[in-house]
Amino acid sequence: MHLELTDKDQALLDGDDGPLGRFAMNIVVRAAGIAGAPWLADVSFAHIDACHYYGTAHLDFVRRFAEASARFPVPVWTNTIPVSLRRPENRADAGARFNEEAREVARLYGEIGCRPVWTCAPYQIPGGPGFGDQIIGSESNAVAYYNSVVGARTNKYGDFLDVCAAYVGRVPFSGLHTDEGRRATVEFDLTGLPEEVRRTEMFCHVLGHLVGAHAGSRVPLITGLPDDTPKDSLKGISAAVAASGGVAMFHAVGVTPEAPDRQAALQGRDADEIIVVSPDMVRASWQSLSPASDGPLDMVALGTPHFSVSEFERLARLVDGRAVHPDVTFYVSTSRFVEQIAKEKGFLRPIAEAGIDVLVDTCTYFSPAVRNCRGRVMTNSAKWAYYAPGMLSVEVVFGSMEDCVLSATTGEVRRETATAPGKFWDV
Amino acid sequence: MSGQSITRIQTTVLTPGSASAELLVLDEALSFWGGFDPVNGTILDRHHSQAGRSVSGRIIVMPSSRGSAGTPAGVAESIRLNTGPVAIILRHRDINIAIGAMVANELYGTSVPVLTAGEIEYQQLIDGLHAEIATDGTVQITG
């Protein structure tokens, strides 16, 4: 398809703004060609992943921007990084060069004007994009959440393209930026499941895992999710559908803004496929996330994606007056922004007193304690449960936040609140 | 040479360049971030049927990449370290792989061509055969 460029686009491509503008626009134009986009669209916001150091190429890339004293035309917020800037010892395992370069990459993105939020859940911070805004997203759960829950519009932009597109403020107009690209094509019907189960956060994570695995990269429509499904549960679905599948947007009837009813999400057409979700499918999905047997617990990992203020409130209430078992390490990952609010609201004190470690800027995948952990880890996150066995030498138990806290305090896996025998999850 | 045949196919160029090397056909998509170690060029993903194999110096043939945002960085880092493939031929268009190669070309001046092949052409790309890629996307396969 022919790509129609504006005079300004063409001028950048011709190098009128210097070599950096030409390079950045060249990358965006190439992406547009591959995507088959007819033209480029303006964006109003970006959340970039290229700040997440992986090797020296990341540093060499951002240096080009820093050396040119680059500034972005739109607000640019940053994803998590592999180190916690506040705790230099955090990644001692990775060596001096890794730590120095990772911190330098982070510093340079700050220097060129990015807002250093270092979070995979930027949607928890006020001042971000709103309904209908064209944006640049990169981290997979944030892309799914912005598209689905906020109603902002983004494809999933990989490293470098995210920064280049933000620098020129333009994206290929294709995929989820367009109305047509946002049409649901596969429907998941939950109405045959018990309502009390559908109301739980744990169910939402398991559902996301199931939907992602079946939907692949299609846009799914979920019918039967309660109207008042909380944001934390929608975060869980967003993370899980993007982990087990390539889902970058979902609709939930009566819950997400572009699905006031089925027909709106389907844009007046029929779904290509309708999957009636049975209790057995849900239990099988949960089992695939939770392969470890019961027994002594080594660690609990919460906060993937980053913990919200409301999750801190719930956790503070759950742990109040109890202590984590001495054999258990308990991590919560979050952003500095949310941590500060949780602190002001008094939620952090009981959490710290219980012996729980709050980690900012990063994710527990990248923490040395997790790296060294060889054992049984419990999480309430389907995304963590999906990725951890591949990235770390751990066995995963997936359960509700309540069961995670109960297990942490007793030192062994307990499934009493949500997964006790005789209840829905019992298999 | 007796017993050798030469097949020529036309592909679509996503990132231009030339290369001459042995084909490594991957049975399934590879994630260049998380599933691949750019330091030594081997496949890490323990779920991948070819885990442990090195892609260094090969022309990788695979359906597509698996979708982490870090994919372009994994591609670029392996090109920087000379541990990566010398070319990548895909069945499906893949922005992340193409951008990784483009950025590495800009930063390090190394051209790793990224191509897409149609279904019939893709079937001609057989593991272990030698291939030569020209800048116009023509691939000559010997074997």
Side-chain angles (χ1 to χ4, degrees):
Chain A
M1 187 178 288
H2 174 70
L3 177 67
E4 198 178 308
L5 296 176
T6 63
D7 290 347
K8 203 177 154 207
D9 294 334
Q10 191 61 52
L12 273 170
L13 199 57
D14 292 342
D16 290 7
D17 184 56
L20 187 65
R22 178 169 53 206
F23 167 59
M25 187 50 102
N26 198 20
I27 292 277
V28 173
V29 163
R30 186 68 59 87
I34 296 171
W39 40 275
L40 307 179
D42 280 336
V43 292
S44 58
F45 173 88
H47 175 244
I48 58 154
D49 185 69
C51 56
H52 191 115
Y53 173 81
Y54 183 55
T56 305
H58 270 127
L59 179 57
D60 292 335
F61 176 80
V62 68
R63 274 187 176 142
R64 288 288 176 98
F65 287 79
E67 282 161 7
S69 301
R71 286 293 178 276
F72 296 95
V74 297
V76 179
W77 294 9
T78 53
N79 194 13
T80 51
I81 48 179
V83 296
S84 175
L85 294 174
R86 194 188 288 167
R87 285 158 65 164
E89 80 289 357
N90 178 253
R91 284 305 307 274
D93 64 302
R97 178 179 168 149
F98 180 95
N99 277 277
E100 282 160 19
E101 292 195 344
R103 296 170 78 85
E104 180 64 1
V105 167
R107 190 188 70 77
L108 290 173
Y109 278 106
E111 187 182 292
I112 60 175
C114 296
R115 184 175 174 192
V117 294
W118 316 126
T119 183
C120 55
Y123 43 79
Q124 293 170 347
I125 299 176
F131 183 84
D133 290 349
Q134 299 286 4
I135 66 166
I136 295 163
S138 53
E139 206 288 331
S140 66
N141 97 84
V143 166
Y145 192 98
Y146 275 134
N147 275 318
S148 313
V149 183
V150 176
R153 298 182 168 216
T154 180
N155 291 318
K156 191 165 81 173
Y157 292 98
D159 288 5
F160 310 139
L161 177 56
D162 54 359
V163 174
C164 289
Y167 182 69
V168 299
R170 306 274 282 165
V171 290
F173 187 69
S174 65
L176 295 169
H177 291 290
T178 71
D179 289 342
E180 168 65 18
R182 300 171 77 81
R183 185 175 77 86
T185 58
V186 53
E187 183 172 353
F188 293 79
D189 180 355
L190 312 182
T191 52
L193 302 170
E195 194 184 333
E196 67 270 21
V197 171
R198 283 184 263 154
R199 288 198 169 281
T200 64
E201 182 177 274
M202 186 170 123
F203 168 77
C204 288
H205 280 257
V206 173
L207 172 70
H209 182 63
L210 184 159
V211 167
H214 282 82
S217 57
R218 292 178 285 177
V219 176
L221 166 65
I222 300 167
T223 50
L225 209 58
D227 291 357
D228 55 353
T229 300
K231 293 275 197 295
D232 292 331
S233 293
L234 297 174
K235 176 183 77 164
I237 297 175
S238 299
V241 290
S244 66
V247 173
M249 178 178 193
F250 67 91
H251 298 275
V253 174
V255 179
T256 59
E258 289 167 64
D261 52 49
R262 284 179 73 245
Q263 284 309 306
L266 293 164
Q267 295 182 13
R269 290 152 70 180
D270 289 332
D272 298 339
E273 187 185 2
I274 297 177
I275 295 168
V276 178
V277 179
S278 68
D280 283 347
M281 286 167 70
V282 177
R283 291 189 196 104
S285 176
W286 169 62
Q287 280 188 304
S288 77
L289 281 173
S290 193
S293 58
D294 289 359
L297 189 63
D298 299 288
M299 201 183 88
V300 171
L302 306 183
T304 303
H306 276 170
F307 231 42
S308 67
V309 174
S310 50
E311 286 175 305
F312 272 115
E313 183 175 14
R314 283 165 55 205
L315 182 61
R317 210 179 304 130
L318 284 168
V319 298
D320 198 21
R322 298 151 91 181
V324 173
H325 190 277
D327 295 340
V328 178
T329 306
F330 194 139
Y331 274 119
V332 176
S333 304
T334 191
S335 65
R336 292 156 181 256
F337 182 90
V338 165
E339 183 203 37
Q340 182 60 31
I341 294 178
K343 188 178 175 184
E344 287 164 8
K345 289 181 177 283
F347 303 146
L348 290 194
R349 203 165 50 84
I351 288 170
E353 283 171 1
I356 294 171
D357 198 353
V358 176
L359 194 64
V360 297
D361 306 335
T362 188
C363 178
T364 38
Y365 293 134
F366 311 113
S367 165
V370 181
R371 287 269 175 192
N372 296 335
C373 188
R374 298 279 182 279
R376 196 177 275 110
V377 183
M378 195 161 181
T379 181
N380 71 336
S381 160
K383 178 172 180 168
W384 205 96
Y386 180 84
Y387 281 120
M391 297 178 81
L392 309 164
S393 296
V394 294
E395 286 184 90
V396 177
V397 178
F398 173 80
S400 65
M401 192 195 293
E402 290 76 10
D403 280 344
C404 286
V405 171
L406 181 64
S407 304
T409 53
T410 55
E412 59 180 33
V413 174
R414 301 278 286 271
R415 307 166 187 270
E416 295 189 7
T417 54
T419 51
K423 294 198 177 173
F424 175 84
W425 299 98
D426 185 28
V427 284
Chain B
M1 216 181 296
S2 68
Q4 286 214 326
S5 65
I6 293 176
T7 312
R8 196 170 275 117
I9 62 168
Q10 185 60 46
T11 63
T12 304
V13 177
L14 300 188
T15 307
S18 58
S20 172
E22 194 178 305
L23 296 172
L24 172 61
V25 179
L26 300 183
D27 305 331
E28 49 193 312
L30 172 66
S31 169
F32 274 89
W33 193 93
F36 169 76
D37 186 352
V39 174
N40 57 25
T42 56
I43 299 171
L44 280 180
D45 183 354
R46 60 170 82 165
H47 302 298
H48 199 284
S49 61
Q50 287 148 303
R53 286 198 65 173
S54 170
V55 305
S56 299
R58 305 294 194 83
I59 297 171
I60 294 186
V61 180
M62 64 178 184
S64 60
S65 70
R66 283 191 42 227
S68 163
T71 295
V75 172
E77 184 68 5
S78 74
I79 294 172
R80 183 183 80 83
L81 292 168
N82 278 317
T83 57
V86 294
I88 301 171
I89 307 177
L90 302 160
R91 175 65 192 89
H92 305 287
R93 289 165 164 243
D94 190 307
I95 290 178
N96 279 336
I97 297 271
I99 296 299
M102 271 185 83
V103 169
N105 181 240
E106 169 74 16
L107 295 178
Y108 308 115
T110 308
S111 303
V112 169
V114 179
L115 315 169
T116 56
E119 185 59 43
I120 292 163
E121 290 78 9
Y122 191 83
Q123 297 304 328
Q124 306 291 319
L125 300 161
I126 295 163
D127 193 66
L129 297 186
H130 184 88
E132 272 189 64
I133 295 172
T135 50
D136 66 354
T138 312
V139 182
Q140 183 174 294
I141 306 153
T142 312

